Amino acid sequence: MSPRDKLKRVLEGRFEILDLFSDSSPGNISDRFSSVIGIDRESISDDEVKELFEHFISEGSILRALTLLKILSLNDREGNDLAPLLASLLEREALSDIRPATVDLLATKLLGTNRPSVAWNNLMKTSLIFQAASAGEVDKPQSDWLVCHDETPIQPDAPHGMLLYLRIVNSLPDSSSPVWNRKNTRTKVPMPVYFSLVGHPDSNLKFQKYEAALVDLSPMGMGLQLVDLYGCLKPAELKDRRIRLEIVLPSRKDNVHTFATIMWCKEEEVRGRKMIRFGAKFQEAIPEQVAVIQQLIKQRKRDQQLLWSLWDTKTTNL
Amino acid sequence: MEPLGHKNDQSLSVELPRQTISIGGGKGGVGKSLVAISLAYWLGRLKKRVILMDGDFGGANLHTMLGNRMPEVTLEDFLLRRVENLEEVLQETFMPNVSLLAGGMDIPSLANPNFSRKTRILRAIDKLDTDFLLVDLGAGTNLTALDFFLASPRKIVVLRPQPTSVQNAYGFIKAALYRKISRILWPTPLRGLLDGSGDHPDESIPRSVEEIFEEVSSEIPESLPAITQAVESFHVDIILNMVRDPREKRIAEVIHEVCRQHLQIGSTTLGSIPFDMSCERWATRMNQGTFAQNAQDGALKSAYQIAYNLITQPEARDAAA
């Protein structure tokens, strides 16, 4: 079997090769493939790398494409040969619409930047090892697990009746944070948002309009915080509560109104004041509203646009 | 485009004495020179020895504002070695305890002093015996202005409550910070990152300090502490000048917020100075006799509190010195 075929079989989840690994095998994935299986950058041609890479990309298997680069990176630490492939991937991803393909966590993290050099460095830092796991864990991947399993059921020749897993070791910052599980990158957007509780049994609270500070924002949801001066809001009661949101846009006549559900809520003490923080997921956001929110996010990434937005806010009543 | 970094820049990282205060702002006509003169006036009245330096090498006219249309000796004489010591350039002014280092305009090529000349001035300034040195920088974001601004422990940015002034003030602060970071990046593979030169195409220029940190931590993590220190030690004081309505003071918050979010640097409002027609009249006639007459009200009176703060809060915000 040629190195190219071996590599393809491993990345496709054919497990017979895994039996070649032992506990004494090197931890680094590229070292493993080089020393145990004899696959390294020298044993596979540029055209084969490119063909395999494109093959996985065309299947939507971004993680496998990245793993391919990882395996072959042993003799190319600087990424001189392989970084262009990564750059092409990043470019394609950057151009594509936001899509729910982000179950591929490593890919999500790497594609969080449009800078090939940054992505490459992340890839180089990441130590991938194979870790066997039971089939039951497939449906409940841990936050720090990188699941790269086949859609097909357990194959008879899989060692110990297990699926193939890839696991990231000591590479992802704060991988236990719920932020890691977000499917969309959030952008810090400090601006006021008004909200009211929908269908709250207490009529006093039901019609109350609260002002919160928008902490961060994504097309799917937002993080908010507010000081509850009168102690009316109880975090435990807010969770799963439906709210009506009004996002104040300095440059627009009509603010954005939408509904959202509070997914989590907690109370903290900040500088002696009780602060309620919560994350809300948009519901029933119409495309126009999503477009406005995305535009807002895009604008906030540029300092000049933030400057003018603040200028408009500060000079409104002058 | 003039690159932000240069191989000699490491040597330019001269740290001037703690009492050196640079006054810049990016935009012309915001009142930098008048603020500098007003602060010098009050510092002098408060028994402090003050040297007022014209840091506008391309358009020196501070001497004119102080009633000396044709100074006998200027910084040009020092740069051309007609005089050996900077003390020989010092001239008395009508303000008590305030001396002037006048800039010259005879030789256009000196508008952008080269590395060695800049270094010579900075080192000579370092030796001046004074309580306060106020450097009135020129408009724009030329490297000379940025280098003097960076060399000063206390950095003041003057702006007016008008959009172009706010925009230029922020641009000036950003250029100064990027210049400071570029010096650190010069001997590294990320040289030219911030101005799109070298191996870095324009589209890869980081848009914020956060992106710079991202790039540095990825490419040259060993330089991360130096970059972090450079950013954390960078602090600017804002003076809002020509304020017509007290509500306009909140415009300074625009600068604070953008600096905090995009540059990750601290900034504070040192004070505000109201719009004062008498300043306009004074600027038209340059009659030194009328300058002090306005000390009890208007703009000059507001400058007193700022000068007082400079004395009573001597700690330099910028920890570079």
Side-chain angles (χ1 to χ4, degrees), chain A residues 222-233:
Chain A
M222 57 169 55
L224 295 160
Q225 66 179 29
L226 77 156
V227 179
D228 183 21
L229 293 174
Y230 306 107
C232 300
L233 297 173

Side-chain angles (χ1 to χ4, degrees), chain B residues 16-21 39-40 42-52 90 96-99 125-134 153-154 307 310-311 314:
Chain B
L16 291 172
R18 296 181 71 84
Q19 66 272 24
T20 306
I21 300 169
L39 293 178
W42 284 118
L43 290 170
R45 287 281 301 270
L46 291 165
K47 311 291 185 194
K48 298 295 177 186
R49 293 172 301 152
V50 182
I51 294 175
L52 194 53
L90 287 174
N97 301 319
V98 179
S99 305
I125 287 172
D126 196 14
K127 294 174 185 168
L128 290 173
D129 182 25
T130 184
D131 294 325
F132 283 95
L133 172 70
L134 302 184
R154 192 146 205 167
L310 290 175
I311 296 172

Side-chain angles (χ1 to χ4, degrees), chain A residues 6-233:
Chain A
K6 279 185 184 176
L7 194 53
K8 187 166 181 288
R9 286 175 72 83
V10 169
L11 290 167
E12 285 179 341
R14 311 292 179 87
F15 305 111
E16 69 271 21
I17 293 174
L18 294 179
D19 283 333
L20 296 174
F21 292 135
S22 67
D23 290 338
S24 60
S25 301
N28 185 289
I29 192 168
S30 51
D31 291 332
R32 277 190 166 204
F33 275 82
S34 173
S35 64
V36 180
I37 310 177
I39 300 175
D40 60 26
R41 186 69 189 87
E42 304 300 323
S43 61
I44 187 165
S45 70
D46 290 349
D47 288 343
E48 287 174 323
V49 172
K50 192 173 180 185
E51 179 264 329
L52 272 180
F53 187 82
E54 294 292 344
H55 167 72
F56 289 128
I57 294 296
S58 66
E59 285 188 340
S61 304
I62 296 170
L63 177 61
R64 291 177 187 188
L66 292 171
T67 309
L68 168 71
L69 299 185
K70 178 74 185 170
I71 290 171
L72 297 176
S73 65
L74 182 64
N75 298 322
D76 187 22
R77 296 289 186 196
E78 302 299 319
N80 295 325
D81 294 338
L82 302 175
L85 289 177
L86 184 61
S88 69
L89 169 62
L90 295 174
E91 188 179 0
R92 266 178 290 195
E93 289 300 309
L95 293 175
S96 66
D97 293 329
I98 295 170
R99 56 193 175 86
T102 50
V103 289
D104 194 336
L105 293 181
L106 176 60
T108 305
K109 184 63 182 174
L110 290 175
L111 298 177
T113 173
N114 59 1
R115 295 167 182 277
S117 58
V118 175
W120 180 258
N121 206 287
N122 288 340
L123 193 63
M124 291 303 295
K125 283 179 190 168
T126 305
S127 173
L128 299 174
I129 61 169
F130 288 113
Q131 172 107 6
S134 66
E137 291 183 47
V138 174
D139 295 327
K140 297 186 294 182
Q142 298 171 28
S143 61
D144 61 344
W145 282 66
L146 185 63
V147 186
C148 181
H149 62 90
D150 265 351
E151 296 299 326
T152 53
I154 299 170
Q155 296 183 22
D157 55 349
H160 315 298
M162 295 178 180
L163 289 175
L164 174 64
Y165 269 58
L166 294 177
R167 183 183 172 207
I168 297 176
V169 177
N170 67 15
S171 59
L172 300 174
D174 196 19
S175 59
S176 62
S177 164
V179 175
W180 177 236
N181 293 321
R182 281 189 191 138
K183 295 180 180 178
N184 293 277
T185 305
R186 288 194 170 187
T187 303
K188 291 180 180 176
V189 188
M191 58 188 301
V193 172
Y194 296 97
F195 74 92
S196 54
L197 304 171
V198 177
H200 198 282
D202 185 336
S203 58
N204 288 330
L205 295 180
K206 183 178 177 181
F207 297 107
Q208 178 71 40
K209 196 173 182 181
Y210 299 92
E211 180 178 346
L214 179 55
V215 178
D216 55 22
L217 180 68
S218 85
M220 298 298 289
M222 57 169 55
L224 295 160
Q225 66 179 29
L226 77 156
V227 179
D228 183 21
L229 293 174
Y230 306 107
C232 300
L233 297 173

Side-chain angles (χ1 to χ4, degrees), chain B residues 21-22 30 37 64 111 118 121 132 137-138 180 190 205 231 233-234 250 275 280 291 296 307 315:
Chain B
I21 300 169
S22 274
V30 296
I37 292 172
T64 312
K118 264 190 283 193
I121 292 180
F132 283 95
L137 298 173
K180 188 175 185 181
L190 291 185
I205 296 177
V231 174
S233 66
F234 197 101
R250 64 188 184 207
F275 180 82
E280 295 283 307
F291 182 80
Q296 298 308 314
E315 77 283 0

Side-chain angles (χ1 to χ4, degrees), chain B residues 113-311:
Chain B
N114 59 22
F115 159 75
S116 62
R117 282 174 169 159
K118 264 190 283 193
T119 307
R120 186 159 174 258
I121 292 180
L122 287 168
R123 290 186 176 155
I125 287 172
D126 196 14
K127 294 174 185 168
L128 290 173
D129 182 25
T130 184
D131 294 325
F132 283 95
L133 172 70
L134 302 184
V135 184
D136 176 29
L137 298 173
T141 54
N142 60 77
L143 294 188
T144 304
L146 296 180
D147 286 335
F148 276 95
F149 191 67
L150 288 175
S152 306
R154 192 146 205 167
K155 304 170 175 60
I156 293 178
V157 170
V158 178
L159 62 140
R160 290 180 65 174
Q162 61 178 197
T164 49
S165 174
V166 171
Q167 190 176 31
N168 286 9
Y170 172 70
F172 181 76
I173 296 167
K174 182 177 178 180
L177 179 65
Y178 274 35
R179 168 82 164 156
K180 188 175 185 181
I181 295 173
S182 290
R183 289 175 179 168
I184 300 169
L185 295 180
W186 176 260
T188 76
L190 291 185
R191 172 194 308 171
L193 174 71
L194 302 186
D195 53 26
S197 62
D199 299 331
H200 305 281
D202 177 61
E203 64 267 21
S204 69
I205 296 177
R207 290 176 180 170
S208 66
V209 168
E210 186 180 2
E211 288 189 4
I212 295 174
F213 278 134
E214 186 186 48
E215 195 84 12
V216 169
S217 61
S218 168
E219 297 290 316
I220 45 169
E222 66 278 7
S223 297
L224 194 58
I227 300 286
T228 305
Q229 201 275 337
V231 174
E232 287 181 350
S233 66
F234 197 101
H235 188 102
V236 290
D237 288 314
I238 303 293
I239 292 180
L240 202 58
N241 195 25
M242 303 190 205
V243 175
R244 292 171 185 266
D245 182 328
R247 291 177 298 174
E248 289 179 337
K249 292 178 185 175
R250 64 188 184 207
I251 286 171
E253 294 167 19
V254 174
I255 295 286
H256 297 324
E257 194 60 31
V258 186
C259 282
R260 187 182 66 78
Q261 283 193 40
H262 277 270
L263 304 182
Q264 298 186 14
I265 62 170
S267 60
T268 47
T269 302
L270 197 58
S272 63
I273 298 174
F275 180 82
D276 187 348
M277 271 308 293
S278 63
C279 289
E280 295 283 307
R281 286 193 292 272
W282 179 79
T284 305
R285 297 179 184 174
M286 299 293 170
N287 184 338
Q288 51 187 271
T290 61
F291 182 80
Q293 290 172 9
N294 296 318
Q296 298 308 314
D297 54 25
L300 194 53
K301 185 185 177 187
S302 298
Y304 170 80
Q305 188 58 49
I306 299 172
Y308 185 77
N309 290 343
L310 290 175
I311 296 172

Side-chain angles (χ1 to χ4, degrees), chain A residues 282-299:
Chain A
F282 294 133
Q283 293 186 334
E284 305 162 18
I286 59 175
E288 187 199 353
Q289 291 170 330
V290 172
V292 170
I293 291 167
Q294 285 180 329
Q295 182 67 17
L296 202 59
I297 294 170
K298 188 178 169 187
Q299 284 185 355

